[in-house]
Amino acid sequence: MDYLKKTFRWFGPEFGVSLSDIKQLGVEGIVAACQKVPIGEVWPVETIATLRSEIMAHGMEWAVVESVNIHTAIKYGLPERDTYIANYIQTLKNLAENGIYDVCYNFMQLIDWTRTDLDYILPTGASALRYSPVSASAFDLFILERENAKESYTKEAYDDAKTYFDALTYLEKKKLEESILSGMPGSKKLIALEEFKANHATVLKISKKQLQDNLSYFLNAVIPEAEKIGVRMAVHPDDPPFSVFGVPRIVSNYQEIKFLLECCPSSSNGLTFCSGSLGASSSNDLVKIIEDFGEKIHFIHLRNVTREEDGSFYEADHLNGSVPIEKVMKALIKQQQARKRSNNGIVGIPMRPDHGHVLLDDKRRQIEFYSGYSLIGRAIGLSQLTGLEMGIREGLQV
């Protein structure tokens, strides 16, 4: 039976999770990146080979690269973007030379994801990541101090944000700031607020259409080369899937996914299906996205979120939340079955449990996990998803 390929993201031993730890979970593949190579530079063949060998020495494969990050010159359409695109293509060639063919990336502006609380305490006592629109508005208005930001909020929303912000202590304000400036996976270093402000001011001058054009330019330069060497590119949806701090989103819903897949038609131009990112918006029909774009799904992130009435959401238990995870899993399995029948596409699609609660010994160990990437919470998620997959497969055989 062709199960989803079980993978686990690993940032390196300095993030508190070892390859030996992960091996004990029965994981087949590692999701990793050459974190220390600056964004925009070519990943050397030797650096890739060394990391691959380290992973293989623990009996696993380097299954997916997450991520080969895209330089801001490409995202912003700057004159020097062609140089960085050439570097990107060379990195893909170097990965293929090492037998690594699945690459996750994103085209998000400023930071890779936005949360306003990295230590939200659940009723169980475990902690999770959370996004609050009131907190985000307070950051936008009174810390970021975006020009003309007040005009983009209703009077009620502005008043709520001001009341909330005024009630915060100095340390709580710093915690909010640091939570938002932590959104770059693979680094424990906060983005400097002044750097964030400068980049933010640049992005605000770029329209949504121009950002989409910049994405199309990148894809039409990179995808033909990726196809030649058998590399599958898989874009990660924007997280959260709605505008934050006045910056437009371009990979957040059905129509935007359709645009990026159609702007450069190729088997190498695909999607990282992330149930948590897309599921943070109630308007996204996750099953329909799988059904209509399933043949382009090259990588899967599975997690759940609980959406709240005020637009907040927090990262829930993998099996419980606002995302109909059993319907999502069933649609993914049906996509696998279709691939097997047609003998077209990778049947064992790489899947990783995305994020996880901090609980049990992970709370007690003096380890600084990267937010969302504790060991035990993700291990529980993997076991839950594996059981769900097995049960659904058995049901489909009846």
Side-chain angles (χ1 to χ4, degrees):
M1 192 175 291
D2 298 292
Y3 287 91
L4 297 170
K5 180 182 288 186
K6 306 304 184 291
T7 67
F8 216 77
R9 194 167 189 185
W10 181 64
F11 293 102
E14 64 269 26
F15 284 86
V17 178
S18 70
L19 289 171
S20 297
D21 291 335
I22 297 171
K23 178 63 177 175
Q24 295 177 52
L25 305 179
V27 168
E28 302 167 72
I30 293 296
V31 178
C34 297
Q35 306 283 169
K36 296 181 180 179
V37 179
I39 295 174
E41 292 189 12
V42 176
W43 290 12
V45 171
E46 298 77 12
T47 302
I48 296 169
T50 298
L51 179 55
R52 179 170 179 261
S53 295
E54 184 178 3
I55 293 168
M56 291 178 65
H58 287 80
M60 296 174 287
E61 65 171 312
W62 185 355
V64 182
V65 175
E66 186 178 350
S67 300
V68 181
N69 289 320
I70 297 175
H71 196 276
T72 53
I74 299 172
K75 295 180 181 180
Y76 301 167
L78 303 180
E80 61 270 28
R81 66 179 169 180
D82 288 338
T83 297
Y84 291 107
I85 287 174
N87 288 352
Y88 202 98
I89 292 169
Q90 187 58 54
T91 292
L92 297 184
K93 291 178 178 178
N94 292 350
L95 287 166
E97 186 176 328
N98 277 276
I100 304 164
Y101 298 101
D102 287 296
V103 175
C104 174
Y105 72 100
N106 74 71
F107 215 78
M108 283 180 260
Q109 315 303 314
L110 297 175
I111 48 180
D112 276 9
W113 50 262
T114 301
R115 299 291 186 274
T116 57
D117 190 346
L118 306 183
D119 191 28
Y120 176 63
I121 304 302
L122 301 165
T124 62
S127 71
L129 306 181
R130 184 172 187 267
Y131 174 88
S132 161
V134 173
S135 301
S137 299
F139 175 87
D140 187 19
L141 289 160
F142 310 118
I143 298 177
L144 181 60
E145 298 179 315
R146 171 166 62 99
E147 186 177 359
N148 300 320
K150 186 176 181 179
E151 283 70 29
S152 64
Y153 293 97
T154 64
K155 183 181 186 304
E156 181 183 9
Y158 176 86
D159 289 344
D160 287 346
K162 190 172 191 311
T163 299
Y164 165 82
F165 187 75
D166 289 346
L168 296 178
T169 65
Y170 171 80
L171 289 178
E172 288 170 335
K173 290 174 183 177
K174 289 301 294 182
K175 182 181 178 183
L176 171 61
E177 177 182 323
E178 290 174 359
S179 294
I180 291 173
L181 298 180
S182 293
M184 286 297 288
S187 174
K188 293 178 182 176
K189 183 180 178 182
L190 297 177
I191 302 169
L193 181 60
E194 290 309 310
E195 179 186 348
F196 185 94
K197 285 184 175 183
N199 287 336
H200 184 247
T202 299
V203 177
L204 289 178
K205 297 174 185 176
I206 308 174
S207 68
K208 176 173 180 174
K209 182 182 183 304
Q210 186 58 57
L211 289 171
Q212 287 183 309
D213 288 345
N214 294 345
L215 173 58
S216 177
Y217 185 95
F218 167 76
L219 291 173
N220 279 282
V222 170
I223 293 299
E225 299 302 316
E227 187 173 341
K228 290 176 187 176
I229 56 177
V231 168
R232 293 173 288 271
M233 297 284 290
V235 68
H236 189 287
D238 296 335
D239 186 10
F242 44 78
S243 176
V244 181
F245 315 137
V247 177
R249 292 304 205 185
I250 61 170
V251 190
S252 65
N253 57 41
Y254 184 98
Q255 289 301 322
E256 291 167 0
I257 293 170
K258 187 172 186 288
F259 168 83
L260 79 90
L261 293 175
E262 292 182 350
C263 77
C264 184
S266 167
S267 58
S268 288
N269 182 19
L271 174 68
T272 294
F273 177 83
C274 180
S275 60
S277 295
L278 293 169
S281 172
S282 61
S283 62
N284 281 330
D285 184 335
L286 273 62
V287 172
K288 181 173 176 56
I289 289 172
I290 296 169
E291 290 174 344
D292 290 3
F293 305 123
E295 63 181 19
K296 293 297 186 71
I297 294 175
H298 298 322
F299 186 30
I300 301 166
H301 290 181
L302 291 180
R303 61 180 169 87
N304 217 318
V305 295
T306 293
R307 298 187 298 264
E308 300 174 315
E309 288 187 9
D310 67 348
S312 299
F313 64 85
Y314 64 87
E315 301 195 356
D317 179 280
H318 281 73
L319 297 186
N320 298 291
S322 301
V323 173
I325 198 69
E326 69 285 353
K327 293 180 181 178
V328 167
M329 181 66 81
K330 188 173 184 178
L332 290 169
I333 291 171
K334 286 184 174 181
Q335 169 57 211
Q336 286 184 286
Q337 293 174 334
R339 293 184 184 191
K340 188 170 184 178
R341 285 194 300 270
S342 65
N343 195 30
N344 184 27
I346 303 297
V347 177
I349 310 168
M351 179 279 291
R352 71 171 177 85
D354 195 17
H355 298 180
H357 295 164
V358 180
L359 72 169
L360 302 175
D361 282 354
D362 281 352
K363 274 184 168 287
R364 292 187 281 270
R365 287 196 287 175
Q366 297 299 309
I367 292 174
E368 187 178 353
F369 292 112
Y370 186 76
S371 302
Y373 289 94
S374 60
L375 175 63
I376 298 173
R378 288 187 293 154
I380 292 173
L382 180 63
S383 66
Q384 290 175 324
L385 295 168
T386 299
L388 178 64
E389 180 186 3
M390 291 180 68
I392 289 174
R393 286 188 185 282
E394 288 298 317
L396 289 175
Q397 290 182 41
V398 175

